[in-house]
Structure formats: C-alpha cells, structure tokens
Amino acid sequence: MGKVFAIATREVRSYLQDRADLAFSLLLPIAIFALMYGAFSGQTLFNGTVYVVNQDGDGVHAQRLIERLSGKEGLQVSLLELEDANARLERSDVLVVAIIPEGFSAQLDSGWPTKITFRQRGNGGTEGQIVASMVRGEANALSQEMQIERQVRMALAGKGIAGDHVGTTVQGLLERERLSPTVQVVESTVGGAVNLVHAFMPGIMTMFVLFAITLGSRVLVEERKKGTLERLLTTQLTVGQLYGGKLLAGVARGSVQVLILLSLAGLVFRLFTPLSFVAMFLVSVLFVTAATTLALIIASASRTEDQAISISVFFTMATVMLGGAFFPIPPDSVLHLISQASITTYVNTAYQTLLAGDASLSSLARELLVLGGTVVVGLIASRSLFRVVSGGR
C-alpha cells in the first residue's frame, strides 16, 4: 500500500502546484456561481423602461401620467423627442414608444375622448408588451379617476360647494385609496421561496468535479502514449498498484476540490451545521470515487488525448443536463426516464435534500445505493480495462 499512497501523494502534490488546474477546478466554479447568483438574485419583479414622447408639453394630465408611471416599482421613464424616437425605432434601439398627443390634457378637461398611441417595432418584444400594458393600466386608472371627479361635480352642482374644493377632496380620497386599497392583493409563495444557493450550487459542484476528474483521463492517455506507465513498472510496481495509485489520486484530488468548495459555501452562505457538512462531504466522496472510476474507463477506452477530452466533455455535459442540475425535468416525460441513468440525478437530489435540511444520510438510501453501486461497477470495469500500454496489459 505504501507504493499506492506514494503515487497518489505525488499526483495530488502536482495538482496543488498546478495553477491552471487549481483555477479550473476551484476558482472557475466559484466565479461561475458568483455570476449566476448575481444575475438571478435580488428583486424578482419586472424591470423595464417606458419610452415616452410627450407632445402635450406642460399639460397637467400628461405630467400626472408620467409621474405615475415613474412611481411604479420596476419601471423607468425615458422622455424622447418624436424624431429621436422614430430614429431609435428604425435602428431597433427601442421596440415600443408611447406617444401622448398634443392637447391630451385639454381634451380630458373638456370631457372629450383622447388616446395614447403606441409605435412599436414588430410585436414590441416581451418587455415592450409588458410596458405597454402597464401604461394602458395607468392611463385607464387616470381616466376613471377623472370620470369619478366629473360625476361628483355634476352631483354636487348647485349645492354651493366650490369646484376646487370638490376636486381636492376627490383627489385626496382617490390617493388614499391608492395607498391603502379597500381590496388588497396578497401574494403567497407555495413551497417557500426559491433559494438560489440551493438551486445552483449542487449543479455547479457536480459539473466542475466531473469536468476536473474526467479531463484527468487525458493525462493517463498521455502517460501511456509516452511510455511513462510502462517505465513505472520497472520500479517493481505491479499493474494493480499502479491502478490503485491512479484511483486514489483521483479520489484525493476530487475530495480536496469538494472540501474547499463546500467550506467556502459554508463560510459565505452559512449553509451547514457540522453534521450536514459531514453528510455533504461523505456524499461528495462517494460521487468523486464513482467519477474517478469513470475517468479511468475513459482513459482506457481512448487512444489519443483528443479522444479522451471529447469523451469527457460529452459525458460531463450529458450527465449534468440529464441530471436536472440547472432546470427541472417534468416527472412524466421521456427525459425524466432517461435521467434515471445519470449519476448526477442522484447526487444532485442528495445535495438539495441535505441543503434543505429535510433529511439525513439514513433517509437517502436510494441515492446512496445508486452511487455505491456505480462505484462498485466502476471499480470492476475500470480495473479490467486498465492498460499500461496500448493493446497490452
């Protein structure tokens, strides 16, 4: 066993000294996770810009409409001149422009109907359609408020109440209703809010661990091609010891990678209790061992380094996507049935369950059984296929 450990120690030391390897297996997943977390975290409300051409100038109601649009959460107002708006539409710099016509306020004051015109590029895009709907909603609300005020004035005509007082009172009541509506809409999230750390971290970890380990098969192909493995046999190493050293080295490298990633995630996001951290690490070691045996199989099946890289990339991307790492797979679909053959399906399920605090290792019997079975099959297959020289022993 001493020789096996010596081979593994040498390779792990080489891994820790290789800045490119460390950057790929440690820094890159951290950077990717930070980007995804930054992109999808924060407010989940709609954010968009409404481009407005105000031809009504200082019209009171045009200004009120613009102020109300500016006050809507997630909506920004950008005022444009008509020529600039048309030029931007031609260049597709903007997709929808709302045009408030000249005399808009005067028409409303006189009780005559008026309109807001939308000019759009194509169908206006998803954001443009949402923005246009929000503008229509505020315009309709403004129209209804003016109708209410007009009807109140008509009902109180001849009662000796000043028109300005009626207008001020009605607007005050309407404003109070906007701030504290009689009918309130309450949003309730079923199943709890989406935790972005829980959603992204398992997939990123499994993807980069698989990448780092399976791409290591390229090195084994190179060593076999150059005769390095064959020369090692002259040092009284057996093929079994050489295989054991390579296997242990892969497991150690992957375990170091996982340990660092889990530690950083725990420190930054405070995800784990001591027991859940240990459980996550033990599941990870099982996964790393299975991935290492798969890497040895890829190395044995590949004749060139390019073949090893191509197989590793294809295998990693296929298993990650089928494992539902970054998007849910419908349970009644054919894809879901195929996903049951992906090792990442089980490790992601185990990760997500442990992160949610809903289970312990004892309740993950199915996932652990599949991972353990993959390790056993992988050990048998990789040892039987392991070759020191092409076509030889």
Side-chain angles (χ1 to χ4, degrees):
M1 286 297 293
K3 294 180 180 180
V4 172
F5 280 110
I7 295 172
T9 303
R10 170 182 165 276
E11 297 212 4
V12 172
R13 188 182 298 116
S14 175
Y15 163 68
L16 294 175
Q17 293 173 350
D18 190 327
R19 294 181 181 179
D21 251 6
L22 286 175
F24 178 81
S25 58
L26 295 176
L27 297 182
L28 189 56
I30 293 170
I32 294 293
F33 179 76
L35 288 173
M36 294 180 74
Y37 186 80
F40 292 101
S41 63
Q43 295 189 13
T44 58
L45 297 176
F46 170 78
N47 287 281
T49 301
V50 53
Y51 296 93
V52 178
V53 174
N54 182 17
Q55 295 182 314
D56 195 37
D58 295 329
V60 175
H61 300 305
Q63 293 298 324
R64 281 179 61 192
L65 178 59
I66 292 172
E67 288 173 4
R68 290 174 65 153
L69 290 172
S70 300
K72 290 192 72 65
E73 188 174 4
L75 189 65
Q76 295 180 338
V77 176
S78 177
L79 296 176
L80 303 175
E81 296 296 328
L82 183 59
E83 291 183 0
D84 185 23
N86 288 334
R88 293 193 184 197
L89 283 169
E90 285 294 326
R91 298 193 304 266
S92 296
D93 291 343
V94 300
L95 298 179
V96 176
V97 174
I99 301 175
I100 302 175
E102 186 178 355
F104 176 80
S105 299
Q107 290 284 95
L108 288 177
D109 282 332
S110 63
W112 289 94
T114 185
K115 60 183 179 181
I116 295 174
T117 303
F118 289 99
R119 289 186 183 176
Q120 64 186 43
R121 186 82 176 180
N123 65 1
T126 302
E127 179 181 326
Q129 293 175 29
I130 295 173
V131 166
S133 177
M134 295 172 77
V135 174
R136 290 190 194 97
E138 286 302 317
N140 289 336
L142 180 62
S143 174
Q144 291 168 6
E145 290 173 10
M146 293 194 66
Q147 290 178 27
I148 292 172
E149 183 178 341
R150 188 175 298 113
Q151 290 173 3
V152 172
R153 286 178 184 273
M154 292 174 62
L156 295 177
K159 303 292 185 181
I161 302 175
D164 290 344
H165 180 66
V166 172
T168 302
T169 302
V170 171
Q171 288 301 319
L173 291 172
L174 290 171
E175 181 64 23
R176 187 174 68 182
E177 178 64 18
R178 279 197 300 271
L179 296 176
S180 181
T182 302
V183 179
Q184 297 184 353
V185 178
V186 179
E187 295 182 0
S188 177
T189 303
V190 178
V194 175
N195 188 311
L196 295 175
V197 178
H198 295 180
F200 293 140
M201 195 187 82
I204 291 175
M205 278 189 58
T206 53
M207 181 172 68
F208 280 96
V209 167
L210 269 177
F211 260 133
I213 292 175
T214 56
L215 285 176
S217 61
R218 173 189 61 83
V219 178
L220 191 57
V221 173
E222 181 183 12
E223 289 179 342
R224 187 172 63 227
K225 186 177 178 180
K226 291 182 177 179
T228 305
L229 296 180
E230 189 175 11
R231 286 194 296 273
L232 285 173
L233 292 180
T234 63
T235 62
Q236 296 184 345
L237 276 174
T238 65
V239 175
Q241 289 173 328
L242 189 55
Y243 167 82
K246 293 294 183 182
L247 175 68
L248 187 59
V251 173
R253 285 181 53 177
S255 299
V256 168
Q257 180 183 359
V258 164
L259 181 62
I260 293 175
L261 292 176
L262 286 177
S263 299
L264 287 175
L267 289 172
V268 174
F269 299 106
R270 301 184 183 278
L271 295 175
F272 311 116
T273 63
L275 287 178
S276 65
F277 181 87
V278 171
M280 286 283 289
F281 182 68
L282 291 177
V283 170
S284 299
V285 171
L286 202 56
F287 169 61
V288 164
T289 305
T292 303
T293 64
L294 294 171
L296 290 171
I297 293 172
I298 292 172
S300 300
S302 303
R303 294 187 177 182
T304 66
E305 297 170 54
D306 288 341
Q307 283 183 0
I309 292 173
S310 298
I311 295 173
S312 298
V313 171
F314 175 79
F315 174 81
T316 298
M317 296 309 298
T319 53
V320 168
M321 292 300 104
L322 287 175
F326 301 112
F327 60 89
I329 297 177
D332 298 326
S333 64
V334 176
L335 192 59
H336 181 266
L337 184 62
I338 298 173
S339 72
Q340 301 307 299
S342 170
I343 186 176
T344 56
T345 297
Y346 304 96
V347 71
N348 283 333
T349 300
Y351 279 160
Q352 290 165 356
T353 305
L354 290 170
L355 283 172
D358 296 334
S360 61
L361 284 177
S362 60
S363 62
L364 294 173
R366 176 173 174 264
E367 287 74 17
L368 295 177
L369 184 62
V370 171
L371 289 173
T374 305
V375 170
V376 172
V377 173
L379 286 171
I380 296 171
S382 60
R383 177 63 186 91
S384 63
L385 293 172
F386 186 76
R387 296 290 182 271
V388 175
V389 294
S390 298
R393 58 175 181 168

